[in-house]
Amino acid sequence: MAAAATGSGPLREEEGSSGETAAPQPQGPTSVSGARLSRLPLARVKALVKADPDVTLAGQEAIFILARAAELFVETIAKDAYCCAQQGKRKTLQRRDLDNAIEAVDEFAFLEGTLD
Amino acid sequence: MASSSGNDDDLTIPRAAINKMIKETLPNVRVANDARELVVNCCTEFIHLISSEANEICNKSEKKTISPEHVIQALESLGFGSYISEVKEVLQECKTVALKRRKASSRLENLGIPEEELLRQQQELFAKARQQQAELAQQEWLQMQQAAQQAQLAAASARSRYQKGQHGAEEGDAM
């Protein structure tokens, strides 16, 4: 699912799996709001931000970069979890791999509330 | 898909978007459904976490709107400083696109009729319209006057015919 507020067509960007951004990336289609299309729907990100009663206003650029940060987060946690699966000699990523990844990283402590 | 019947707190990032990201990050890896579900929830929590922190940082500054800078500071303070350099690329892109858009719109203005000229034309049209209205009103007034005059004349001659008739009748009698 492409991720613009207007929900346009499929994204064609490539992401370097090494985590480096030195490799030039092919330009994906840009949405009306400009900037490289985030893989996350910006309207939804904005809605999530505004769901916080303390938040009054959030600028559009702030939403963009928050969406990008969330993408990076997903990539990071997925890769971490995959390492756990590989250690367990499994090829399928299971929920417990995510659990382990969360427990292993201090910065992910905030997620412990989401684990059942 | 996130529930539409729930309130704002049931919002999550759509599953499809997460699936796509997982697939791009870990191509050819099978991922269990409940693992995907957890990633969706974690992503949502992450957004809440960062935005909450950014909001606090924003409140401490004299600004009312959460800015990219606030988000960046939030990432730093919560231990996600490694995301900052990539995130700044997005900012750069925003600025580039905004610049392009401004250039494009000013080019368009130069090709078309500039705003002042359009305004001037509009004023002209208004003036003309007012004039036409005034002329029309004047014509109507004249017509009314003429009609009134004619009516008066008609009435006067009718009266005089009547009176002559009366006299005539009297004269006729007298002759």
Side-chain angles (χ1 to χ4, degrees):
Chain A
M1 172 180 173
T6 49
S8 49
L11 190 61
R12 313 240 7 110
E13 281 195 30
E14 295 169 293
E15 278 285 325
S17 53
S18 61
E20 284 177 36
T21 52
Q25 299 178 1
Q27 270 300 318
T30 55
S31 70
V32 173
S33 41
R36 180 189 336 177
L37 263 186
S38 170
R39 284 166 180 72
L40 298 179
L42 293 167
R44 187 64 61 89
V45 174
K46 180 155 195 170
L48 282 166
V49 169
K50 300 204 94 142
D52 182 340
D54 294 330
V55 171
T56 39
L57 286 174
Q60 191 183 53
E61 289 184 344
I63 301 290
F64 282 179
I65 66 173
L66 180 50
R68 183 77 184 107
E71 275 181 51
L72 293 168
F73 169 77
V74 167
E75 286 170 28
T76 305
I77 203 170
K79 284 187 241 174
D80 287 354
Y82 187 54
C83 287
C84 295
Q86 285 180 318
Q87 280 170 11
K89 301 195 179 152
R90 275 176 288 103
K91 291 202 182 140
T92 304
L93 211 128
Q94 306 277 10
R95 189 172 150 136
R96 72 186 110 137
D97 298 315
L98 282 164
D99 294 349
N100 289 337
I102 289 171
E103 275 170 52
V105 179
D106 288 342
E107 289 79 25
F108 295 163
F110 73 97
L111 290 170
E112 274 157 28
T114 52
L115 304 175
D116 279 337
Chain B
M1 285 294 251
S3 67
S4 49
S5 55
N7 55 20
D8 280 348
D9 293 334
D10 293 339
L11 278 182
T12 59
I13 294 296
R15 174 80 152 237
I18 299 291
N19 285 346
K20 191 171 162 95
M21 286 195 281
I22 293 176
K23 177 145 186 170
E24 287 175 7
T25 305
L26 304 173
N28 309 319
V29 174
R30 285 214 186 102
V31 179
N33 270 338
D34 57 355
R36 293 178 189 275
E37 185 65 27
L38 183 55
V39 176
V40 169
N41 294 335
C42 288
C43 185
T44 303
E45 276 312 305
F46 177 82
I47 291 173
H48 284 312
L49 179 79
I50 304 298
S51 67
S52 179
E53 179 74 8
N55 189 48
E56 259 177 60
I57 292 171
C58 175
N59 288 339
K60 284 186 196 147
S61 77
E62 354 83 62
K63 312 249 173 87
K64 287 191 194 153
T65 305
I66 298 179
S67 74
E69 196 47 54
H70 299 145
V71 174
I72 288 174
Q73 285 174 32
L75 288 171
E76 182 68 59
S77 88
L78 291 167
F80 296 102
S82 59
Y83 297 176
I84 291 179
S85 65
E86 285 201 54
V87 142
K88 278 188 177 170
E89 286 180 14
V90 172
L91 264 189
Q92 204 39 55
E93 189 114 7
C94 283
K95 297 199 164 92
T96 308
V97 172
L99 196 63
K100 275 193 205 156
R101 213 186 307 129
R102 272 200 296 275
K103 276 194 195 156
S105 73
S106 74
R107 264 185 253 125
L108 191 62
E109 276 171 18
N110 289 335
L111 282 178
I113 306 176
E115 195 172 340
E116 305 94 47
E117 176 61 19
L118 285 170
L119 265 172
R120 194 193 64 80
Q121 288 182 2
Q122 192 184 42
Q123 299 296 3
E124 257 184 29
L125 287 168
F126 283 164
K128 228 195 257 181
R130 277 196 292 271
Q131 203 180 23
Q132 282 175 350
Q133 289 285 22
E135 283 171 12
L136 213 62
Q138 206 178 30
Q139 273 181 13
E140 282 178 11
W141 172 241
L142 279 172
Q143 283 170 358
M144 269 170 50
Q145 272 194 325
Q146 285 172 355
Q149 275 178 0
Q150 285 178 351
Q152 274 189 330
L153 284 172
S157 67
R159 260 202 310 278
S160 71
R161 275 201 305 276
Y162 176 71
Q163 284 168 354
K164 279 199 188 133
Q166 292 280 43
H167 283 309
E170 287 172 14
E171 278 169 23
D173 284 350
M175 278 169 72

